[in-house]
Amino acid sequence: MTAAPESSLQIDVFSIFPEAIDGFCSYGLLGKAREAGLVTVRVHDLRSQAGDPRRSVDDAPFGGGAGMVLLPGPIFDAVESCSPPRPLLLLGPAGRLFNQEMARELAEQAASGSGGFSLLCGRYEGVDQRVVDHLVDGEVSIGDYVLAGGEAAALAVIEAVTRLMPGVMGNDASLVEESFADGLLEYPQYTRPSVFRGWAVPDVLLSGDHGKVACWRRAQAIMRTIEVRPDLIEARGGLSPDEVRLIRQYGYAGDLPPQMQGP
Ligand code: SAM
Protein backbone atom coordinates (compact mmCIF):
# COMPACT_ATOMS: atom_id res chain seq x y z
CA MET A 1 0.00 0.00 0.00
CA THR A 2 1.34 3.48 -0.88
CA ALA A 3 1.51 5.98 2.00
CA ALA A 4 -0.70 9.06 1.65
CA PRO A 5 1.30 12.18 0.68
CA GLU A 6 2.18 14.53 3.58
CA SER A 7 0.52 17.53 1.96
CA SER A 8 -1.18 17.75 -1.35
CA LEU A 9 -2.05 20.65 -3.57
CA GLN A 10 -5.38 21.12 -5.30
CA ILE A 11 -5.57 23.44 -8.28
CA ASP A 12 -8.82 24.16 -10.10
CA VAL A 13 -8.61 25.83 -13.50
CA PHE A 14 -11.44 27.49 -15.42
CA SER A 15 -10.89 27.76 -19.15
CA ILE A 16 -12.56 27.47 -22.55
CA PHE A 17 -9.70 25.15 -23.58
CA PRO A 18 -9.65 22.54 -20.80
CA GLU A 19 -7.77 19.97 -22.91
CA ALA A 20 -4.82 22.35 -23.27
CA ILE A 21 -4.42 22.54 -19.49
CA ASP A 22 -5.07 18.87 -18.83
CA GLY A 23 -2.72 17.73 -21.60
CA PHE A 24 0.22 19.83 -20.43
CA CYS A 25 -0.29 18.79 -16.81
CA SER A 26 -0.01 15.13 -17.76
CA TYR A 27 3.68 15.31 -18.68
CA GLY A 28 6.99 15.33 -16.82
CA LEU A 29 7.20 16.45 -13.22
CA LEU A 30 3.56 17.59 -13.14
CA GLY A 31 2.31 14.32 -14.57
CA LYS A 32 4.30 12.35 -11.99
CA ALA A 33 3.12 14.60 -9.14
CA ARG A 34 -0.48 14.03 -10.24
CA GLU A 35 0.01 10.28 -10.40
CA ALA A 36 1.58 10.28 -6.93
CA GLY A 37 -1.39 12.21 -5.52
CA LEU A 38 0.82 15.19 -4.58
CA VAL A 39 -1.18 17.51 -6.81
CA THR A 40 -4.73 17.39 -8.13
CA VAL A 41 -5.54 19.51 -11.16
CA ARG A 42 -9.26 19.81 -11.93
CA VAL A 43 -10.11 21.61 -15.13
CA HIS A 44 -13.55 23.15 -15.66
CA ASP A 45 -14.85 23.94 -19.12
CA LEU A 46 -16.50 27.37 -19.06
CA ARG A 47 -18.53 26.36 -22.11
CA SER A 48 -20.31 23.66 -20.12
CA GLN A 49 -22.10 26.50 -18.30
CA ALA A 50 -23.18 28.34 -21.45
CA GLY A 51 -26.91 28.96 -21.67
CA ASP A 52 -27.47 28.40 -25.39
CA PRO A 53 -27.10 25.49 -27.84
CA ARG A 54 -24.08 27.18 -29.47
CA ARG A 55 -22.33 27.17 -26.08
CA SER A 56 -21.54 30.89 -26.33
CA VAL A 57 -19.31 32.31 -23.63
CA ASP A 58 -18.59 35.77 -25.08
CA ASP A 59 -20.33 38.83 -26.41
CA ALA A 60 -19.52 42.29 -27.79
CA PRO A 61 -18.43 44.97 -25.29
CA PHE A 62 -20.98 47.58 -24.19
CA GLY A 63 -19.85 50.94 -25.51
CA GLY A 64 -18.39 49.40 -28.65
CA GLY A 65 -14.80 48.63 -29.52
CA ALA A 66 -12.79 45.77 -30.88
CA GLY A 67 -13.12 42.13 -29.88
CA MET A 68 -15.35 40.16 -27.56
CA VAL A 69 -15.59 39.88 -23.79
CA LEU A 70 -16.17 36.72 -21.72
CA LEU A 71 -19.70 36.74 -20.27
CA PRO A 72 -20.00 36.86 -16.47
CA GLY A 73 -22.82 34.24 -16.32
CA PRO A 74 -20.90 31.08 -17.35
CA ILE A 75 -17.92 32.09 -15.21
CA PHE A 76 -19.98 32.69 -12.03
CA ASP A 77 -21.95 29.47 -12.68
CA ALA A 78 -18.81 27.40 -13.25
CA VAL A 79 -17.15 28.67 -10.06
CA GLU A 80 -20.27 28.49 -7.88
CA SER A 81 -21.11 24.96 -8.99
CA CYS A 82 -17.89 23.41 -7.68
CA SER A 83 -16.58 25.39 -4.64
CA PRO A 84 -12.98 25.58 -5.88
CA PRO A 85 -10.07 26.17 -3.50
CA ARG A 86 -9.38 29.83 -2.76
CA PRO A 87 -7.73 32.14 -3.61
CA LEU A 88 -9.29 32.20 -7.06
CA LEU A 89 -6.87 34.15 -9.24
CA LEU A 90 -7.65 35.65 -12.62
CA LEU A 91 -4.78 35.58 -15.10
CA GLY A 92 -4.41 39.02 -16.67
CA PRO A 93 -1.83 41.65 -17.66
CA ALA A 94 -3.12 44.02 -14.94
CA GLY A 95 -2.33 41.57 -12.13
CA ARG A 96 0.42 41.21 -9.56
CA LEU A 97 3.59 40.20 -11.35
CA PHE A 98 4.12 36.48 -10.78
CA ASN A 99 7.58 35.56 -9.49
CA GLN A 100 9.33 32.95 -7.37
CA GLU A 101 8.26 34.70 -4.17
CA MET A 102 4.60 34.43 -5.14
CA ALA A 103 5.09 30.80 -6.21
CA ARG A 104 6.57 30.13 -2.76
CA GLU A 105 3.65 31.90 -1.03
CA LEU A 106 1.09 29.79 -2.88
CA ALA A 107 3.00 26.55 -2.18
CA GLU A 108 3.41 27.41 1.52
CA GLN A 109 -0.27 28.35 1.91
CA ALA A 110 -1.27 25.04 0.32
CA ALA A 111 1.18 23.01 2.43
CA SER A 112 -0.02 24.69 5.62
CA GLY A 113 -3.68 23.97 5.13
CA SER A 114 -5.33 26.22 2.51
CA GLY A 115 -5.44 23.16 0.27
CA GLY A 116 -4.63 25.01 -2.92
CA PHE A 117 -5.81 27.73 -5.24
CA SER A 118 -7.75 28.25 -8.46
CA LEU A 119 -7.01 29.97 -11.74
CA LEU A 120 -9.39 31.64 -14.17
CA CYS A 121 -8.17 31.98 -17.76
CA GLY A 122 -9.41 34.94 -19.76
CA ARG A 123 -9.70 35.02 -23.56
CA TYR A 124 -10.53 37.55 -26.27
CA GLU A 125 -10.49 41.07 -24.74
CA GLY A 126 -10.74 39.62 -21.25
CA VAL A 127 -13.54 39.05 -18.74
CA ASP A 128 -16.51 41.19 -17.73
CA GLN A 129 -15.35 43.54 -14.93
CA ARG A 130 -18.00 42.16 -12.54
CA VAL A 131 -15.99 38.94 -12.43
CA VAL A 132 -13.01 40.97 -11.22
CA ASP A 133 -15.06 42.98 -8.75
CA HIS A 134 -17.25 40.25 -7.24
CA LEU A 135 -15.85 36.77 -7.90
CA VAL A 136 -12.09 36.50 -7.95
CA ASP A 137 -9.70 37.16 -5.06
CA GLY A 138 -6.91 38.70 -7.12
CA GLU A 139 -5.26 38.99 -10.51
CA VAL A 140 -1.90 37.59 -11.62
CA SER A 141 0.24 38.59 -14.58
CA ILE A 142 3.18 36.55 -15.86
CA GLY A 143 4.87 39.54 -17.51
CA ASP A 144 4.48 42.83 -19.31
CA TYR A 145 3.23 41.42 -22.60
CA VAL A 146 -0.17 40.37 -23.91
CA LEU A 147 -1.03 36.71 -24.52
CA ALA A 148 -4.09 35.57 -26.47
CA GLY A 149 -5.42 33.75 -23.41
CA GLY A 150 -4.72 32.90 -19.80
CA GLU A 151 -3.93 29.20 -20.38
CA ALA A 152 -0.17 29.57 -20.99
CA ALA A 153 0.02 31.87 -17.96
CA ALA A 154 -1.93 29.40 -15.80
CA LEU A 155 0.45 26.61 -16.79
CA ALA A 156 3.46 28.72 -15.80
CA VAL A 157 1.91 29.30 -12.36
CA ILE A 158 0.90 25.65 -11.92
CA GLU A 159 4.35 24.34 -12.80
CA ALA A 160 6.27 26.87 -10.70
CA VAL A 161 4.13 26.22 -7.60
CA THR A 162 3.90 22.44 -7.95
CA ARG A 163 7.67 21.92 -8.06
CA LEU A 164 7.94 23.68 -4.68
CA MET A 165 5.57 21.26 -2.94
CA PRO A 166 7.28 18.81 -0.57
CA GLY A 167 8.09 15.52 -2.29
CA VAL A 168 7.52 16.70 -5.87
CA MET A 169 11.17 17.19 -6.82
CA GLY A 170 13.19 13.99 -6.67
CA ASN A 171 15.97 15.91 -4.90
CA ASP A 172 14.68 18.79 -2.74
CA ALA A 173 18.29 20.10 -2.53
CA SER A 174 17.98 21.44 -6.07
CA LEU A 175 15.38 23.92 -4.76
CA VAL A 176 17.93 25.32 -2.31
CA GLU A 177 20.55 26.11 -4.92
CA GLU A 178 18.48 27.16 -7.91
CA SER A 179 17.86 30.64 -9.27
CA PHE A 180 16.09 33.12 -6.94
CA ALA A 181 16.52 30.82 -3.91
CA ASP A 182 18.90 33.29 -2.22
CA GLY A 183 18.20 36.35 -4.33
CA LEU A 184 20.78 35.12 -6.83
CA LEU A 185 20.73 33.38 -10.19
CA GLU A 186 22.10 29.87 -10.31
CA TYR A 187 25.74 29.12 -11.20
CA PRO A 188 26.48 27.65 -14.68
CA GLN A 189 25.95 23.90 -15.05
CA TYR A 190 28.04 21.46 -17.12
CA THR A 191 27.75 17.77 -17.96
CA ARG A 192 29.57 15.22 -20.14
CA PRO A 193 31.70 15.34 -22.20
CA SER A 194 34.30 17.30 -20.25
CA VAL A 195 35.55 18.75 -23.54
CA PHE A 196 32.98 19.51 -26.23
CA ARG A 197 34.15 20.94 -29.59
CA GLY A 198 37.29 22.12 -27.85
CA TRP A 199 35.40 23.90 -25.03
CA ALA A 200 36.51 22.46 -21.71
CA VAL A 201 34.57 22.35 -18.46
CA PRO A 202 36.22 24.48 -15.70
CA ASP A 203 38.96 22.38 -14.02
CA VAL A 204 37.54 22.89 -10.54
CA LEU A 205 34.41 20.90 -11.41
CA LEU A 206 36.57 17.86 -12.20
CA SER A 207 38.75 18.24 -9.10
CA GLY A 208 36.57 16.19 -6.74
CA ASP A 209 37.14 18.88 -4.07
CA HIS A 210 33.59 19.62 -2.89
CA GLY A 211 34.63 22.68 -0.86
CA LYS A 212 36.32 24.29 -3.85
CA VAL A 213 33.40 23.44 -6.11
CA ALA A 214 30.97 25.07 -3.66
CA CYS A 215 33.09 28.27 -3.46
CA TRP A 216 33.44 28.44 -7.26
CA ARG A 217 29.70 27.97 -7.74
CA ARG A 218 28.84 30.62 -5.15
CA ALA A 219 31.23 33.09 -6.81
CA GLN A 220 29.83 32.32 -10.27
CA ALA A 221 26.26 32.77 -9.03
CA ILE A 222 27.10 36.18 -7.57
CA MET A 223 29.08 37.38 -10.60
CA ARG A 224 26.42 36.19 -13.04
CA THR A 225 23.70 38.00 -11.05
CA ILE A 226 25.74 41.22 -10.92
CA GLU A 227 26.19 40.97 -14.68
CA VAL A 228 22.64 40.24 -15.86
CA ARG A 229 20.30 41.06 -12.94
CA PRO A 230 21.89 43.71 -10.70
CA ASP A 231 18.36 44.56 -9.51
CA LEU A 232 18.27 41.19 -7.70
CA ILE A 233 21.44 42.06 -5.78
CA GLU A 234 19.95 45.38 -4.70
CA ALA A 235 16.66 43.70 -3.74
CA ARG A 236 18.48 41.28 -1.37
CA GLY A 237 20.21 44.23 0.33
CA GLY A 238 23.56 44.01 -1.48
CA LEU A 239 26.48 41.62 -0.98
CA SER A 240 28.03 40.73 2.35
CA PRO A 241 31.74 41.55 2.91
CA ASP A 242 32.49 37.81 2.59
CA GLU A 243 30.71 37.66 -0.75
CA VAL A 244 32.64 40.70 -2.02
CA ARG A 245 35.92 39.05 -0.91
CA LEU A 246 34.89 35.82 -2.63
CA ILE A 247 34.21 37.34 -6.04
CA ARG A 248 37.42 39.44 -5.86
CA GLN A 249 39.29 36.20 -5.17
CA TYR A 250 37.70 34.71 -8.31
CA GLY A 251 38.83 37.65 -10.40
CA TYR A 252 35.84 40.01 -10.36
CA ALA A 253 37.40 43.40 -11.05
CA GLY A 254 34.27 45.44 -11.83
CA ASP A 255 32.97 48.38 -9.79
CA LEU A 256 30.45 47.62 -7.08
CA PRO A 257 28.14 50.61 -6.59
CA PRO A 258 27.18 51.34 -2.93
CA GLN A 259 23.70 49.80 -3.34
CA MET A 260 25.35 46.46 -4.21
CA GLN A 261 27.39 46.43 -1.03
CA GLY A 262 25.50 45.39 2.04
CA PRO A 263 25.65 46.94 5.50
N1 SAM B 1 -7.61 43.35 -23.50
C1 SAM B 1 -6.70 42.92 -22.50
C2 SAM B 1 -5.76 44.04 -22.14
O1 SAM B 1 -5.46 44.85 -22.98
O2 SAM B 1 -5.28 44.07 -20.98
C3 SAM B 1 -5.89 41.72 -22.98
C4 SAM B 1 -6.69 40.51 -23.11
S1 SAM B 1 -5.72 39.11 -23.59
C5 SAM B 1 -5.77 39.25 -25.33
C6 SAM B 1 -6.73 37.73 -23.26
C7 SAM B 1 -6.46 37.02 -21.96
O3 SAM B 1 -5.13 36.54 -21.96
C8 SAM B 1 -6.57 37.85 -20.69
O4 SAM B 1 -7.89 37.98 -20.26
C9 SAM B 1 -5.73 37.05 -19.72
O5 SAM B 1 -6.47 36.00 -19.14
C10 SAM B 1 -4.65 36.45 -20.64
N2 SAM B 1 -3.38 37.19 -20.56
C11 SAM B 1 -2.87 38.00 -21.50
N3 SAM B 1 -1.68 38.50 -21.15
C12 SAM B 1 -1.41 37.99 -19.93
C13 SAM B 1 -0.33 38.13 -19.01
N4 SAM B 1 0.71 38.91 -19.27
N5 SAM B 1 -0.39 37.46 -17.85
C14 SAM B 1 -1.44 36.67 -17.55
N6 SAM B 1 -2.50 36.49 -18.39
C15 SAM B 1 -2.50 37.14 -19.55
Side-chain angles (χ1 to χ4, degrees), residues 11 23 45 52 64 67 71 100 102 113 126 138 143 162 164 177 192 223:
I11 306 173
D45 185 357
D52 66 337
L71 298 163
Q100 193 68 7
M102 191 175 178
T162 299
L164 296 177
E177 294 206 330
R192 292 182 177 76
M223 292 191 284

Side-chain angles (χ1 to χ4, degrees), residues 169-262:
M169 298 281 283
N171 178 2
D172 285 345
S174 38
L175 295 175
V176 177
E177 294 206 330
E178 70 184 2
S179 293
F180 309 113
D182 183 23
L184 297 174
L185 300 175
E186 197 185 49
Y187 48 80
Q189 300 271 14
Y190 295 88
T191 185
R192 292 182 177 76
S194 57
V195 181
F196 175 71
R197 297 190 176 181
W199 299 306
V201 165
D203 285 343
V204 61
L205 297 179
L206 309 176
S207 69
D209 184 330
H210 298 302
K212 275 193 188 153
V213 170
C215 284
W216 180 86
R217 284 180 165 165
R218 184 86 186 151
Q220 295 299 317
I222 298 169
M223 292 191 284
R224 182 187 236 185
T225 312
I226 292 173
E227 208 59 40
V228 300
R229 291 293 305 275
D231 58 302
L232 292 178
I233 303 275
E234 288 176 35
R236 74 197 280 276
L239 300 172
S240 70
D242 280 350
E243 288 171 332
V244 173
R245 259 193 302 280
L246 182 72
I247 59 172
R248 294 291 184 215
Q249 193 186 322
Y250 280 88
Y252 186 79
D255 285 338
L256 288 172
Q259 63 273 26
M260 282 211 202
Q261 301 191 37

Side-chain angles (χ1 to χ4, degrees), residues 90-94 120-127 140-151 153:
L90 170 68
L91 281 314
L120 169 60
C121 305
R123 274 274 151 182
Y124 314 117
E125 289 308 315
V127 302
V140 181
S141 165
I142 61 159
D144 290 345
Y145 40 79
V146 180
L147 300 164
E151 286 74 12

Side-chain angles (χ1 to χ4, degrees), residues 17-62:
F17 295 124
E19 297 84 4
I21 302 286
D22 210 38
F24 184 88
C25 292
S26 304
Y27 291 99
L29 199 84
L30 269 170
K32 285 194 190 123
R34 277 177 105 177
E35 275 170 24
L38 294 166
V39 58
T40 305
V41 181
R42 292 197 307 179
V43 196
H44 307 273
D45 185 357
L46 292 173
R47 285 195 193 283
S48 69
Q49 300 293 333
D52 66 337
R54 293 182 55 239
R55 307 206 328 144
S56 314
V57 287
D58 59 296
D59 208 333
F62 279 127

